[in-house]
Amino acid sequence: MLAARWSDDIRGDAAFHHSAWHYINLPYKPDGQPASVQTVDPPPENILRAYRTNLNILRSTAPVSTKAVALCWIFHLIGDVHQPLHTVALFTTQFPPPEGDRGGTRFSIRAREGASTISLHTFWDDLILGSERFQSVRNTATALRVQPDHARAQLTELTETQCEEWAKQESFSLAKDQAYRNGQLRGSRDQQNGEVFPADYIATVKPLAERRIVLAGYRLADVLTQTVSHGTDASPAGTPSASANVGDVRGNKHSKVYHLSGCPSYEAMSPANIVPFASEAEAQQAGYRKAKNCP
């Protein structure tokens, strides 16, 4: 649990903190907004790149101290990418470019009449857990896991193993359809006087958030299992296993094509374009496809 929140705990520590790693602001402009509202694409430094970077470190022969940091990030990033408002930026006349509402952090709401004003992002961040006590968090996790609807066999989304799809197809879609209610949810720019939620909002979105957090747990378990199966930590110190030889697979960051050692273009790529992978599976998980001239 402490590993999963470490990436938040070290905010402000220049040696470890990466603010842009926690999210990707995929632009959302609801129907009916005027042409004058322009959207802005997310910068290249984002949660998807951070996930690939840290997964590559875990599957490499990096020092164990470096892997420990990467492991904490993997815990955290898989959680963050399942929170819909970590994948979106709303662009409207009320929340104009270049930043929009910054993932709901500028979209002020109140959960009910008389409640304090918070951001929509904060509401979603805190929707499941209301305590930092270990036993309370563990009890909540157990209660979610044992729900019949949360059994692994019932979570059809688990067939999708690509982090980019978790963000772009799942979380982003939920943000548009449910968090923002297709652009109909009212929010305020006034951080002292947020708009009050519709009466049915919390009851509608809480089960969705619970499903997302359970999916994140199963996917984290799967990623860790697959990473261990590479055998990098089972080899004697200084003796990397064959599956951990980073560089046997080279991806081209521009074409999103990967090449195997011995393939015609393996040595031809510009060093600046090379993204090393430990295996074909890792390259495919990062969204790369095999070169057609590779056997």
Side-chain angles (χ1 to χ4, degrees):
M1 287 169 53
L2 291 175
R5 57 170 276 179
W6 176 84
S7 302
D8 280 339
D9 291 340
I10 51 84
R11 288 178 183 270
D13 186 328
F16 295 107
H17 179 50
H18 302 273
S19 59
W21 282 12
H22 295 260
Y23 59 89
I24 179 169
N25 284 338
L26 300 169
Y28 170 45
K29 177 182 173 180
D31 291 341
Q33 288 295 313
S36 59
V37 174
Q38 299 294 308
T39 61
V40 177
D41 289 334
E45 191 75 5
N46 56 57
I47 195 170
L48 299 182
R49 176 176 286 186
Y51 178 79
R52 292 192 295 269
T53 296
N54 286 284
L55 196 59
N56 286 344
I57 291 171
L58 280 185
R59 294 176 173 177
S60 75
T61 55
V64 291
S65 57
T66 303
K67 287 187 176 184
V69 172
L71 181 61
C72 289
W73 274 108
I74 290 296
F75 268 73
H76 190 85
L77 297 172
I78 290 180
D80 272 356
V81 83
H82 282 78
Q83 205 273 63
L85 291 175
H86 278 258
T87 66
V88 67
L90 175 71
F91 290 92
T92 64
T93 53
Q94 185 182 17
F95 300 100
E99 295 182 312
D101 77 338
R102 295 183 62 182
T105 59
R106 292 177 173 174
F107 193 108
S108 296
I109 56 90
R110 286 181 290 151
R112 59 189 63 84
E113 288 286 356
S116 299
T117 292
I118 58 174
S119 73
L120 184 65
H121 188 106
T122 296
F123 169 81
W124 276 83
D125 268 355
D126 298 342
L127 186 52
I128 307 301
L129 296 175
S131 169
E132 294 187 1
R133 292 182 61 252
F134 171 78
Q135 194 60 50
S136 296
V137 175
R138 183 177 182 178
N139 290 345
T140 300
T142 301
L144 290 174
R145 180 173 55 82
V146 300
Q147 290 183 22
D149 288 349
H150 292 163
R152 179 182 278 270
Q154 300 300 315
L155 299 172
T156 56
E157 299 96 320
L158 290 175
T159 58
E160 179 55 70
T161 60
Q162 302 297 313
C163 185
E164 289 204 6
E165 300 305 308
W166 303 343
K168 295 180 178 180
Q169 296 301 321
E170 296 178 8
S171 286
F172 182 59
S173 294
L174 278 171
K176 293 188 297 182
D177 300 342
Q178 302 296 333
Y180 292 114
R181 292 199 163 182
N182 294 306
Q184 299 304 305
L185 184 71
R186 294 176 59 190
S188 171
R189 293 183 62 90
D190 184 349
Q191 296 182 356
Q192 306 301 319
N193 188 26
E195 295 280 359
V196 178
F197 274 151
D200 66 336
Y201 188 86
I202 297 175
T204 300
V205 301
K206 188 169 184 178
L208 303 175
E210 291 174 343
R211 188 178 182 94
R212 295 303 290 162
I213 205 168
V214 172
L215 282 167
Y218 276 119
R219 283 168 167 161
L220 173 60
D222 291 343
V223 167
L224 296 180
T225 300
Q226 292 159 9
T227 301
V228 170
S229 73
H230 279 247
T232 56
D233 291 327
S235 303
T239 309
S241 66
S243 62
N245 292 330
V246 177
D248 287 348
V249 181
R250 290 181 176 178
N252 185 311
K253 68 180 181 180
H254 291 305
S255 66
K256 294 294 184 180
V257 170
Y258 69 85
H259 306 265
L260 307 180
S261 179
C263 291
S265 300
Y266 182 81
E267 300 290 348
M269 273 189 291
S270 167
N273 294 338
I274 293 174
V275 179
F277 296 105
S279 68
E280 288 190 71
E282 182 177 320
Q284 292 164 5
Q285 186 174 30
Y288 287 70
R289 57 182 175 80
K290 189 175 182 178
K292 293 181 179 180
N293 60 358
C294 274

